[in-house]
Amino acid sequence: MKPFRDMRLAEAFRIQLAAPDDFEGWRDAARRMVRADVPPDRITWESPADQGGDLFAHGDRRLPSPPADAPQPRVSRDFLQLAQSVILHSDSTRFSLLYRTLWRLQSRPRLMDDKADADVRAMEDLARQVRRDIRKMRAFVRFRVVEGEEGEHYVAWFEPEHHILRANAGFFVRRFTTMRWSILTPRGTLHWDGEALQEGPPATRADAPSGDPVEALWRKYYASIFNPARLKVGAMLKEMPRKYWKNMPEAALIPELIAGAQAREAQMVKAGEQDFGERPQSLGAIGEAILGCRRCEIGCNGTRAVMGEGPASAALMIVGEQPGDSEEEQGRPFVGPAGRLLRSHLEEAGISDERTYVTNAVKHFKFVPRGKRRLHQNPTAKEIDVCRWWLDGERALVQPRLILALGASAARSLLGKTVSVQKVRGEPHRLEDGSELWITTHPSYLLRLQDHGRAEEEAKFANDLHRVSQRLSELSGAV
């Protein structure tokens, strides 16, 4: 080994970068240290954000000069792309992680392909958090207008978790090219005058305006487009964490909108209820009427409507989503593969056809043509709500004591709102007419699973049917 390397290996090096997101500075220093054969444990990496001290360039006089014949470091494209995101993270160990991985790449060129490697996983985790922070900044920056001597100037306050300000600058310049704006953050500031972008020192929340007249209009608009029927609080909080709310004028409305979501959804359902005139007075009359129903797009696709079938006084009504290809051809519900699977499980659960009326939430077959085949397509919420008028007519005539909904579409046709089947399955829900609703998965879902988890899901399905059978016996005994 060369004397130079023997002498320097025991020496520790302190490398200070010019900025916390100084990828170019880190890359130049890292190349030099790899060529000088300096191992990771001999280097301490620092940046202004980590130290808070004076800045000085990474080209420290104490850094070693590599031998003239030292080869250039081996670097994969995957490493470089990932490193440019990792460098933006606020974790003070990111520089050491990157150099350690670069060092290991020299002896393991395909290291980045090993997704189980601890360093590779750590890099991907940091990069993922940075990408998320970049998306959140783009989504949740809110400008407030400030009147100045040169006219309107828009100012926004944002608190990024990582060093993403400069990485996001291009997006905001392209998005708001014609505006004069400033983005203030605790990590630095950006200022665009319509022609040139300038950087500035860190700011505080007090430097940003607290509001403007346009916000009242924005809040009114936000409240008007808030759709309670699509509200999923957990998903909303995941995508829009509470920590961002303080800088978003519309966020002040969210608690009230969430609290009133159920009432507003009920109003929307009520407003969307269909009235096709006088309701047919028999199941046969409903069957004749639906053949000519053209009140939604599915009814106009040229398929034959499929009426429910079973005893007119059945204690159990089973509601599926819609007829399939086989059902449309034969004009009967549940005669295809999913129907055969259902009837097999009903028999095992002790539920006989003589006690069961089967029908669908939507009466026509919605499909997408693929050559000679017709592939099932889910009905929309509006199509389900339109066809609910016919289902309500069937319920009024049959008057079942218990209703089993197969899948989310069937559940919506009975509840008037979309629910998660996995969360509400296997337990009774009281309906307005006094009947009892139970919800489980649709048998077509089990068929789609094939070998991946089908046994477990089919066992759950069978258990749901056994509980329905037991409950049906209890209700019959209470008569």
Side-chain angles (χ1 to χ4, degrees):
M1 184 174 291
K2 296 183 179 181
F4 167 79
R5 296 190 181 184
D6 288 338
M7 178 182 66
R8 304 290 295 208
L9 277 179
E11 188 173 355
F13 299 93
R14 177 168 167 259
I15 303 177
Q16 292 187 317
L17 302 175
D21 59 351
D22 184 11
F23 178 75
E24 298 297 330
W26 175 87
R27 183 178 60 182
D28 291 346
R31 283 175 173 171
R32 183 174 178 178
M33 301 305 275
V34 168
R35 295 187 68 217
D37 203 22
V38 180
D41 61 355
R42 299 296 181 185
I43 306 175
T44 299
W45 297 88
E46 297 174 354
S47 77
D50 303 322
Q51 276 300 102
D54 295 334
L55 305 184
F56 56 91
H58 66 270
D60 192 320
R61 288 177 302 173
R62 298 180 61 249
L63 296 189
S65 296
D69 60 347
Q72 291 295 330
R74 287 202 281 283
V75 184
S76 70
R77 181 179 300 177
D78 290 343
F79 173 82
L80 282 177
Q81 291 178 344
L82 205 57
Q84 291 179 66
S85 292
V86 172
I87 209 86
L88 305 179
H89 203 279
S90 57
D91 190 331
S92 61
T93 66
R94 63 192 182 280
F95 304 115
S96 298
L97 169 66
L98 290 176
Y99 184 74
R100 183 170 63 248
T101 308
L102 176 63
W103 176 267
R104 297 176 61 205
L105 276 168
Q106 307 315 299
S107 58
R108 291 184 58 189
R110 301 188 64 83
L111 174 64
M112 299 305 296
D113 295 335
D114 185 0
K115 302 305 180 183
D117 183 82
D119 287 339
V120 175
R121 289 204 316 271
M123 285 184 62
E124 291 181 341
D125 286 344
L126 296 186
R128 182 168 52 252
Q129 293 169 35
V130 166
R131 290 193 297 268
R132 175 182 171 83
D133 204 27
I134 288 175
R135 292 196 303 269
K136 296 307 179 189
M137 182 175 178
R138 294 178 180 181
F140 300 138
V141 159
R142 294 291 184 270
F143 288 102
R144 291 176 166 93
V145 64
V146 176
E147 294 292 342
E149 295 181 358
E150 299 182 13
E152 291 183 341
H153 191 96
Y154 293 85
V155 181
W157 170 256
F158 188 75
E159 300 174 32
E161 294 184 5
H162 308 294
H163 306 288
I164 62 170
L165 187 61
R166 277 189 285 207
N168 250 343
F171 170 83
F172 287 99
V173 169
R174 293 188 298 271
R175 184 76 176 270
F176 304 106
T177 304
T178 60
M179 289 170 44
R180 295 173 59 250
W181 53 261
S182 296
I183 298 178
L184 313 182
T185 83
R187 299 181 183 275
T189 55
L190 295 175
H191 307 278
W192 172 255
D193 63 4
E195 295 181 358
L197 182 70
Q198 295 182 341
E199 297 181 26
T204 65
R205 182 67 180 85
D207 297 325
S210 58
D212 65 53
V214 178
E215 288 187 3
L217 181 62
W218 168 243
R219 284 193 292 266
K220 183 177 181 180
Y221 169 74
Y222 182 80
S224 70
I225 64 171
F226 186 85
N227 187 351
R230 294 188 175 185
L231 175 63
K232 294 183 178 180
V233 177
M236 182 192 72
L237 290 175
K238 181 179 180 181
E239 291 301 315
M240 188 171 68
R242 292 183 186 274
K243 64 183 179 182
Y244 297 111
W245 291 17
K246 58 187 176 183
N247 300 319
M248 301 168 61
E250 70 272 25
L253 303 174
I254 292 176
E256 181 181 351
L257 292 172
I258 292 176
Q262 189 171 4
R264 287 188 63 196
E265 183 179 15
Q267 293 173 2
M268 291 171 63
V269 172
K270 184 70 176 177
E273 286 182 351
Q274 305 296 318
D275 185 359
F276 301 160
E278 184 178 355
R279 202 182 300 274
Q281 298 302 305
S282 69
L283 294 174
I286 292 179
E288 290 292 329
I290 64 173
L291 292 176
C293 182
R294 301 294 183 267
R295 291 177 174 87
C296 74
E297 292 185 6
I298 307 179
C300 302
N301 66 5
T303 58
R304 172 173 51 175
V306 178
M307 179 60 181
E309 68 176 29
S313 58
L316 172 65
M317 174 180 284
I318 297 179
V319 181
E321 180 189 68
Q322 66 174 0
D325 185 72
S326 299
E327 286 80 4
E328 195 272 336
E329 289 183 350
Q330 299 183 38
R332 297 181 59 204
F334 291 101
V335 293
R340 290 193 293 272
L341 181 61
L342 170 65
R343 294 179 189 278
S344 171
H345 278 282
L346 289 175
E347 184 178 353
E348 290 182 9
I351 301 175
S352 64
D353 292 343
E354 290 76 16
R355 305 170 63 191
T356 307
Y357 182 91
V358 292
T359 189
N360 283 294
V362 174
K363 305 307 181 188
H364 285 84
F365 174 37
K366 184 175 183 179
F367 66 94
V368 177
R370 289 290 186 271
K372 296 182 178 180
R373 301 176 61 197
R374 299 186 300 178
L375 301 183
H376 164 275
Q377 187 177 30
N378 292 331
T380 65
K382 181 179 180 180
E383 290 162 346
I384 295 170
D385 294 343
V386 168
C387 218
R388 184 180 180 182
W389 195 80
W390 299 115
L391 180 61
D392 287 346
E394 291 177 282
R395 288 175 56 194
L397 292 169
V398 177
Q399 297 183 359
R401 303 201 66 185
L402 194 151
I403 302 176
L404 175 62
L406 306 176
S409 296
R412 179 182 177 87
S413 71
L414 294 156
L415 294 173
K417 63 181 181 180
T418 301
V419 296
S420 169
V421 172
Q422 297 298 339
K423 291 183 179 179
V424 300
R425 69 185 302 174
E427 58 184 37
H429 305 268
R430 183 66 59 180
L431 298 178
E432 292 181 358
D433 63 357
S435 60
E436 198 171 281
L437 171 66
W438 289 65
I439 301 171
T440 188
T441 53
H442 197 285
S444 63
Y445 166 71
L446 303 177
L447 294 177
R448 290 196 300 272
L449 291 177
Q450 297 180 353
D451 295 333
H452 302 289
R454 175 170 172 175
E456 181 181 354
E457 286 299 322
E458 194 160 350
K460 293 180 182 178
F461 181 71
N463 182 61
D464 287 343
L465 294 192
H466 278 285
R467 294 188 65 185
V468 167
S469 178
Q470 181 180 0
R471 181 57 179 156
L472 195 60
S473 298
E474 294 172 357
L475 292 174
S476 299
V479 177

